[in-house]
């Protein structure tokens, strides 16, 4: 009985050894390779993931910068719009002032022109009338000699 | 060409004035004024006038003192008698400058008395510091007043001037 158990154990041991050897020779390398593949793949994924993360961070930074640029640009555009409105307002005010000035000037010019027209009509007539009257007074009524006497007195007194 | 003619006439006139040493005489000034005016007025018509005519003119105006006959002889010999009016004009100008003479015309609206003329003469003499030779004429266009003009100045005090001033204010 004891021997049977002993031989059974030996058989079992040999079987285990054979199986182990077979396992070690044929199954284990394939398994190890598969494991290595799996591990490599996992590492690759991790690396990819890290790269992706880095890229994402870069993109996030870029997005932030762009956002800031956009905000700055938006502020600038808003400011430009504001300035443009101010400029338009100023232009409008200038235009109104100019219009008023032109209107005033035109009115003044019209007034001067009217005065000129009036004087152009009246003054020559008045001058001609005055000349006639003066001619009658000094030449025909003989007051010219008195005028010349006064003139001579004045000339005589001149230094 | 005109420049050289003017220079020639001026040089001839200066030489004649230095040579003749023509003294100051109001009658000479008037005669020179008359001959200058006549020659310049009829300059174009006198282009081919002979020397004899010019001599007769000088004799008529009694301008013997100025020895313009020498100028006529010189120009006639050179064939440049047409320059005689220019030479006489230059001579007259130089004569006036040399003797400090100014000619002017006094125009008045009414005839001036001798006293009045003297007053104007004194006034002109003071103003120009020259011997004055004047001619008088009446001009009713002045309405009332006197106008004195010469080569160097113009003085007018008349109603017509005041009316002109008013017209210019327009």
């Amino acid at each position: 009985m004891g021997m049977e158990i002993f031989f059974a154990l030996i058989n079992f041991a040999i079987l285990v050894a054979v199986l182990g050897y077979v396992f070690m020779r044929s199954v284990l390398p394939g398994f190890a390779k598969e494991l290595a593949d799996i591990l490599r793949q996992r590492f690759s994924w991790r690396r990819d993931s890290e790269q992706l993360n880095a890229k994402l961070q870069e993109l996030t930074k870029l997005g932030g910068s762009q956002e800031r640029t956009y905000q700055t640009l938006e502020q600038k555009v808003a400011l430009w719009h504001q300035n443009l409105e101010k400029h338009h307002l100023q232009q409008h005010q200038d235009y109104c002032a100019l219009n008023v000035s032109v209107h005033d000037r035109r009115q003044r010019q019209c007034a001067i022109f009217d005065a000129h027209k009036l004087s152009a009509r009246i003054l020559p007539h008045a001058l001609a009338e005055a000349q006639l009257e003066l001619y009658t007074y000094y030449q025909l009524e003989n007051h010219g000699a008195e005028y010349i006497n006064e003139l001579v007195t004045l000339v005589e007194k001149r230094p | 060409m005109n420049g050289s003619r003017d220079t020639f006439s001026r040089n001839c006139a200066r030489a004649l004035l230095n040579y003749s040493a023509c003294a100051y005489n109001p009658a000479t000034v008037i005669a020179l004024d008359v001959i200058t005016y006549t020659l310049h007025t009829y300059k174009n018509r006198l282009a081919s006038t002979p020397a004899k005519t010019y001599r007769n003119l000088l004799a008529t105006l009694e301008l013997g003192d100025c020895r313009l006959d020498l100028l006529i002889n010189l120009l006639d010999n050179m064939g440049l008698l047409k320059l005689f009016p220019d030479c006489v004009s230059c001579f007259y100008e130089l004569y006036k400058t040399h003797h400090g003479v100014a000619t002017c015309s006094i125009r008045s609206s009414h005839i001036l008395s001798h006293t009045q003329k003297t007053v104007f003469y004194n006034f002109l003499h003071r103003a120009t510091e020259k011997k004055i030779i004047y001619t008088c004429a009446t001009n009713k266009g002045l309405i009332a007043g006197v106008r004195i003009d010469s080569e160097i100045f113009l003085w007018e005090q008349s109603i017509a001037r005041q009316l002109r001033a008013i017209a210019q204010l327009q």
Side-chain angles (χ1 to χ4, degrees):
Chain A
M1 187 67 186
M3 282 302 279
E4 283 177 2
I5 293 167
F6 175 71
F7 281 112
L9 283 169
I10 286 172
N11 281 340
F12 181 71
I14 289 166
L15 186 67
V16 166
V18 168
L19 282 172
Y21 178 75
V22 168
F23 178 75
M24 288 293 281
R25 289 290 290 180
S26 60
V27 178
L28 193 62
F31 178 70
K33 196 183 171 188
E34 218 169 285
L35 194 67
D37 283 350
I38 289 166
L39 281 173
R40 198 167 54 245
Q41 223 170 18
R42 185 173 290 174
F43 280 127
S44 164
W45 285 347
R46 187 178 285 172
R47 204 169 51 246
D48 287 351
S49 167
E50 279 172 1
Q51 280 179 353
L52 195 68
N53 272 341
K55 201 134 200 166
L56 273 173
Q57 276 179 353
E58 271 180 30
L59 282 171
T60 313
K61 275 185 192 172
L62 193 70
S65 159
Q66 277 181 343
E67 181 66 27
R68 274 199 303 279
T69 312
Y70 175 74
Q71 279 176 0
T72 315
L73 202 67
E74 208 173 24
Q75 279 171 357
K76 278 185 182 173
V77 168
L79 197 67
W80 182 71
H81 272 293
Q82 216 174 347
N83 283 340
L84 195 70
E85 274 175 22
K86 273 186 193 170
H87 179 66
H88 281 163
L89 192 68
Q90 185 64 39
Q91 262 190 341
H92 184 70
Q93 281 172 352
D94 286 352
Y95 175 74
C96 290
L98 199 69
N99 247 358
V100 169
S101 150
V102 165
H103 183 70
D104 283 354
R105 204 164 61 181
R106 193 169 179 171
Q107 271 189 337
R108 277 205 301 272
Q109 276 179 345
C110 282
I112 291 166
F113 189 62
D114 286 347
H116 271 295
K117 273 203 292 189
L118 202 66
S119 64
R121 245 183 275 135
I122 290 170
L123 198 64
H125 181 72
L127 273 173
E129 211 166 299
Q131 195 171 4
L132 205 66
E133 279 177 21
L134 287 164
Y135 188 84
T136 311
Y137 180 76
Y138 284 111
Q139 288 285 339
L140 305 179
E141 294 173 12
N142 288 326
H143 289 98
E146 289 167 23
Y147 183 89
I148 288 177
N149 279 337
E150 283 172 22
L151 197 63
V152 167
T153 315
L154 278 174
V155 167
E156 221 169 1
K157 281 178 187 170
R158 268 177 82 147
Chain B
M1 187 66 189
N2 279 337
S4 62
R5 276 179 64 168
D6 289 347
T7 313
F8 178 77
S9 306
R10 188 160 284 277
N11 287 340
C12 283
R14 192 175 287 120
L16 183 68
L17 188 68
N18 289 337
Y19 177 77
S20 66
C22 193
Y24 170 69
N25 182 2
T28 309
V29 179
I30 292 165
L32 280 171
D33 195 51
V34 169
I35 195 170
T36 308
Y37 176 77
T38 312
L39 291 175
H40 262 272
T41 309
Y42 303 105
K43 193 176 176 179
N44 294 331
R45 293 186 197 174
L46 294 169
S48 56
T49 309
K52 193 182 166 185
T53 313
Y54 286 131
R55 283 197 196 94
N56 289 339
L57 188 64
L58 293 179
T60 311
L61 291 167
E62 296 176 353
L63 274 168
D65 290 351
C66 297
R67 302 304 307 272
L68 287 170
D69 53 319
L70 293 175
L71 190 64
I72 293 170
N73 291 340
L74 176 75
L75 294 174
D76 196 22
N77 289 336
M78 292 172 79
L80 293 169
L81 203 58
K82 62 182 177 185
L83 293 181
F84 184 66
D86 293 335
C87 290
V88 171
S89 178
C90 288
F91 181 82
Y92 182 42
E93 290 302 319
L94 289 169
Y95 179 87
K96 283 199 291 185
T97 314
H98 183 70
H99 292 293
V101 180
T103 52
C104 59
S105 68
I106 301 173
R107 293 175 200 284
S108 56
S109 58
H110 295 72
I111 296 165
L112 297 174
S113 66
H114 181 69
T115 321
Q116 286 170 337
K117 283 178 191 172
T118 312
V119 168
F120 282 117
Y121 173 84
N122 290 334
F123 165 64
L124 290 170
H125 183 62
R126 281 200 306 274
T128 60
E129 294 179 345
K130 287 184 174 182
K131 299 174 192 113
I132 303 295
I133 302 293
Y134 63 87
T135 53
C136 286
T138 51
N139 180 5
K140 288 187 186 296
L142 295 169
I143 300 174
V146 177
R147 179 188 166 101
I148 303 169
D149 54 28
S150 77
E151 308 95 349
I152 49 171
F153 74 93
L154 170 71
W155 183 87
E156 184 177 349
Q157 199 69 35
S158 68
I159 299 292
R161 181 188 162 214
Q162 288 172 31
L163 287 171
R164 279 203 304 276
I166 293 166
Q168 278 169 5
L169 283 175
Q170 193 182 357

